[in-house]
Amino acid sequence: MSDSGGPGSGQTQPGKTQASKTQPKKPKKLIGQKLWGGLTSLVTVDDSILDKTFSLGDRPPFRPKKAGGGQGKSGDQGGQRDQGGQQSEEPDLPQKIPSDIKQALALVKKIFHLDRETGKNADCIVREFKIGLEPPVEAFLVFMEGLASTEIINLAILQPLMLLAEAKQTPSKGQAIAGFVAGNLLPGNQIEIKGDFAEAVQGILTGTTAVFIDGSNQVLLVETKGFDKRSISDPKTEAVVRGPAEGFIENFRTNAALIRRRVRTQNLITEMFKAGSLSRSDVAMMYIEGLTNPKVVAEIRRRIKSIKTDYAPDSGILEQYLEDSPSSLFPQFLATERPDRAAAYLTEGSVVVISNSSPFVLVMPVTIWGLMHSPEDYYLRWPFGTMIRLIRTAGILIALFLPAFYLAINNYHPEMLPADLLLSVAASREAVPFPGVLEVVIMETAFEIIREAGTRVPSIIGPTIGIVGGLILGQAAVEAKLVSPLLVIVTAITALGSFTIAQTNLNFSARLLRYIYLLLASVLGFFGIAVGIVFQVAYLVQLKSAGVPMLSPVAPYRFPSLDVIVRGVLWKQEKRPIFTRPLDPTREVE
């Protein structure tokens, strides 16, 4: 089968021609049309279906749906934006920095709403001083207490300028005094000279110290970030028995360093963006140049640049703006707190997106099979890894279908049970006053409440609530004849099956789909479950992650993969995953 239609083939995909840029946008397809398209893809034998394995092409800027209004043209909301997707001009800030030191000081106090008499914005520190030149030059610096390190400011800025200048001759008016000070007096390893007031304000708000000098219409931004941060600890949601015990924290620089420690190549690229007109949160995109497909990189860059919101502090919020189908029941990105897992996906051609204040990073694109995998699978020998994956797959199936199967057999298909078991089940339900569907819904809802309570209470008593709540409520419900003993067993096994799902977002999907299958089983029995499975598979066929089908490489089918359901032998996995179309498809080094 041909791989034409993917990136690098030089062919334009259907519906993605240059002329389509000028055509009006077509309305989005209805859910029924999408499901029908997925069903027809399942039963169609046509090589052209393979073109859908990679659907990224020339498209207009990504605009997430906004409640209560249209999307508008690119750049018509939130001020004008530059090519980096950032606001090129703050509406309340002057563009140029005044060369007079008193005017600059007055502007800083006005912009940051400083009032020393009332203590307003007391954490914004302004320090006036004189640079020890001949003659002395007035200056002042501005920083945010708690975001900047006062030790670095004292030793790397104030001390060199005030005490170690050694009365050097002040440069003439023709020279840029800011450049003279940066090149001769300041020992900081990261110093930027800016002439825009908005850039100075944004630097101050991120922990940088701004130095304003009399007679200069430029400002020095000295790197002095030094706020407190959580130390590196074990991952909370992706614990493993064998493997690294490091997890991401709420600091971008640390998270990027944890990835670079594992991917030591000069081709690892980090691109920085700003998200949120108020918060201006740092967002970074990491990929490997020469390996990751440029179309994937361009698509994700386009989506990040197109985000228009005032506050996007966490990767969970960022994910909802970036994913292909925000209303989908299935996660389309992998949220991981493990640096080793993010590094592994980078080497396979995926892109990692880091939010500055989140301990989770987003990996995109991914498939449904990747969401079902656990990081520990790769640290075990292949027989054990395959066994664990099969157990996890069985757990997912149990979490989805076991309550629905119990209800379907109990209501519509009792003939499937042996006679002795059927009599035992009937005897256990004889005194239960509720119909089967209500009985199952009550037990499932009670378990979800216990699980949520155990999650939200302090960690010391959380496990106690789960154990005590499950035992006492289950036993009391059976003795009160509210539920049958067999249903308690079914609910417990279903809960254990849901705990085997490694990805948190996928766990939420299974918990919600369980109720949908319960409804279908209560109405149509096994036929309802079968209908639900067909529609779920059809929906997954058309669902994409950053333009890549979620069921790749199974649907559309490419070739048998050694790392989908089973855990393949490492030395036989010579090719990278095909669904991202990496520029270098081979893992081996000659």
Side-chain angles (χ1 to χ4, degrees):
M1 289 182 287
S2 175
D3 285 345
S4 62
S9 62
Q11 297 183 7
T12 304
Q13 299 192 10
K16 306 296 182 182
T17 59
Q18 294 295 327
S20 63
K21 294 183 179 180
T22 60
Q23 296 176 357
K25 293 184 178 179
K26 297 182 180 180
K28 292 187 176 180
K29 294 182 179 179
L30 300 177
I31 295 179
Q33 293 175 329
K34 290 185 177 181
L35 292 176
W36 178 252
L39 287 172
T40 55
S41 298
L42 286 175
V43 299
T44 302
V45 181
D46 186 358
D47 285 346
S48 63
I49 297 178
L50 298 180
D51 295 340
K52 298 182 180 180
T53 58
F54 200 91
S55 61
L56 301 183
D58 296 331
R59 297 196 285 181
F62 180 74
R63 295 295 178 221
K65 248 186 185 178
K66 299 188 71 176
Q71 297 175 354
K73 297 181 179 180
S74 174
D76 61 351
Q77 299 176 4
Q80 296 181 350
R81 294 178 179 262
D82 57 16
Q83 295 181 355
Q86 306 174 12
Q87 289 194 2
S88 60
E89 180 180 349
E90 294 288 347
D92 298 329
L93 298 180
Q95 290 186 352
K96 297 182 178 180
I97 298 174
S99 57
D100 183 72
I101 195 68
K102 298 187 180 299
Q103 294 182 11
L105 180 59
L107 277 175
V108 168
K109 291 182 177 180
K110 179 182 179 181
I111 291 170
F112 288 99
H113 310 283
L114 300 181
D115 190 343
R116 296 298 178 231
E117 295 182 358
T118 61
K120 192 174 182 180
N121 269 358
D123 59 340
C124 182
I125 308 301
V126 176
R127 172 68 162 89
E128 300 180 55
F129 62 96
K130 291 185 178 181
I131 302 177
L133 297 173
E134 184 62 38
V137 178
E138 295 185 1
F140 71 91
L141 58 81
V142 187
F143 65 93
M144 284 290 178
E145 188 177 15
L147 296 181
S149 171
T150 55
E151 182 178 358
I152 296 178
I153 294 173
N154 292 337
L155 297 179
I157 300 179
L158 292 177
Q159 184 173 337
L161 294 183
M162 298 176 67
L163 303 178
L164 304 180
E166 298 179 354
K168 293 183 179 180
Q169 186 69 30
T170 303
S172 62
K173 294 183 180 181
Q175 291 181 284
I177 187 171
F180 175 82
V181 171
N184 296 274
L185 303 179
L186 288 178
N189 58 1
Q190 296 183 49
I191 301 177
E192 294 181 322
I193 302 177
K194 300 292 184 181
D196 187 86
F197 217 103
E199 293 182 347
V201 171
Q202 291 303 322
I204 295 170
L205 293 175
T206 57
T208 302
T209 298
V211 180
F212 294 84
I213 305 173
D214 189 22
S216 174
N217 57 359
Q218 296 176 315
V219 62
L220 300 178
L221 299 181
V222 185
E223 176 61 40
T224 57
K225 294 183 178 69
F227 43 82
D228 295 332
K229 60 183 179 181
R230 179 169 61 94
S231 59
I232 299 175
S233 59
D234 297 349
K236 304 299 181 184
T237 61
E238 296 176 288
V240 297
V241 176
R242 181 175 182 179
E246 290 182 334
F248 290 120
I249 64 172
E250 296 82 357
N251 182 268
F252 159 74
R253 294 176 181 271
T254 303
N255 294 343
L258 288 173
I259 294 178
R260 286 192 176 274
R261 280 175 52 189
R262 290 165 171 80
V263 187
R264 299 181 179 180
T265 172
Q266 71 277 11
N267 295 325
L268 181 58
I269 306 299
T270 303
E271 295 186 17
M272 295 293 300
F273 307 91
K274 296 290 184 181
S277 58
L278 289 179
S279 61
R280 308 294 289 168
S281 303
D282 291 326
V283 177
M285 178 178 66
M286 301 185 73
Y287 60 93
I288 298 180
E289 184 74 26
L291 172 61
T292 308
N293 194 289
K295 288 194 174 182
V296 175
V297 176
E299 173 69 10
I300 297 174
R301 182 190 296 119
R302 178 178 66 89
R303 297 187 183 188
I304 296 176
K305 289 179 178 180
S306 301
I307 293 177
K308 287 187 177 181
T309 184
D310 57 350
Y311 189 59
D314 188 83
S315 61
I317 297 176
L318 207 63
E319 179 181 5
Q320 300 174 59
Y321 282 99
L322 298 179
E323 57 191 0
D324 296 55
S325 302
S327 58
S328 173
L329 297 182
F330 296 92
Q332 293 134 66
F333 300 148
L334 172 66
T336 180
E337 56 178 339
R338 297 190 60 87
D340 57 325
R341 198 173 191 187
Y345 272 99
L346 280 172
T347 61
E348 291 181 351
S350 294
V351 176
V352 170
V353 175
I354 305 175
S355 180
N356 186 41
S357 54
S358 175
F360 287 85
V361 305
L362 300 177
V363 178
M364 55 191 80
V366 294
T367 62
I368 196 69
W369 319 110
L371 296 175
M372 294 169 58
H373 295 169
S374 169
E376 196 171 17
D377 297 350
Y378 300 93
Y379 298 118
L380 301 175
R381 297 177 65 245
W382 72 269
F384 311 132
T386 299
M387 179 188 67
I388 290 178
R389 282 193 181 176
L390 294 178
I391 292 175
R392 189 180 303 118
T393 303
I396 294 174
L397 296 177
I398 289 173
L400 273 177
F401 302 116
L402 184 58
F405 268 85
Y406 167 82
L407 187 61
I409 292 175
N410 188 49
N411 288 358
Y412 295 97
H413 313 283
E415 68 278 359
M416 295 189 64
L417 298 178
D420 294 340
L421 181 58
L422 178 60
L423 292 175
S424 176
V425 172
S428 66
R429 295 202 70 255
E430 183 178 2
V432 176
F434 303 113
V437 59
L438 184 58
E439 182 187 10
V440 176
V441 170
I442 289 175
M443 284 301 297
E444 289 294 333
T445 305
F447 174 75
E448 293 295 337
I449 292 175
I450 294 174
R451 170 188 279 186
E452 189 67 15
T455 303
R456 303 306 167 194
V457 298
S459 58
I460 299 177
I461 63 175
T464 306
I465 287 181
I467 296 173
V468 173
L471 291 177
I472 294 179
L473 290 181
Q475 183 67 24
V478 171
E479 292 182 356
K481 308 295 185 183
L482 296 178
V483 296
S484 63
L486 181 59
L487 180 58
V488 175
I489 298 175
V490 169
T491 305
I493 296 177
T494 303
L496 293 176
S498 67
F499 290 145
T500 63
I501 303 177
Q503 183 65 23
T504 304
N505 290 339
L506 190 63
N507 196 329
F508 280 112
S509 300
R511 290 159 63 181
L512 184 57
L513 285 172
R514 187 188 309 156
Y515 285 94
I516 297 178
Y517 281 109
L518 277 175
L519 177 62
L520 294 173
S522 66
V523 176
L524 299 173
F526 281 160
F527 180 74
I529 297 176
V531 170
I533 293 175
V534 170
F535 274 90
Q536 179 180 337
V537 174
Y539 181 76
L540 286 174
V541 165
Q542 59 84 34
L543 188 63
K544 292 180 172 59
S545 171
V548 173
M550 292 289 291
L551 287 184
S552 298
V554 176
Y557 181 77
R558 282 295 184 181
F559 56 87
S561 176
L562 298 176
D563 195 27
V564 178
I565 299 297
V566 300
R567 164 75 165 82
V569 183
L570 280 179
W571 57 85
K572 290 185 178 181
Q573 299 183 30
E574 301 175 353
K575 301 293 184 181
R576 306 183 197 274
I578 192 62
F579 60 87
T580 57
R581 297 292 181 88
L583 299 184
D584 183 8
T586 305
R587 297 179 187 266
E588 291 185 345
V589 178
E590 297 181 357

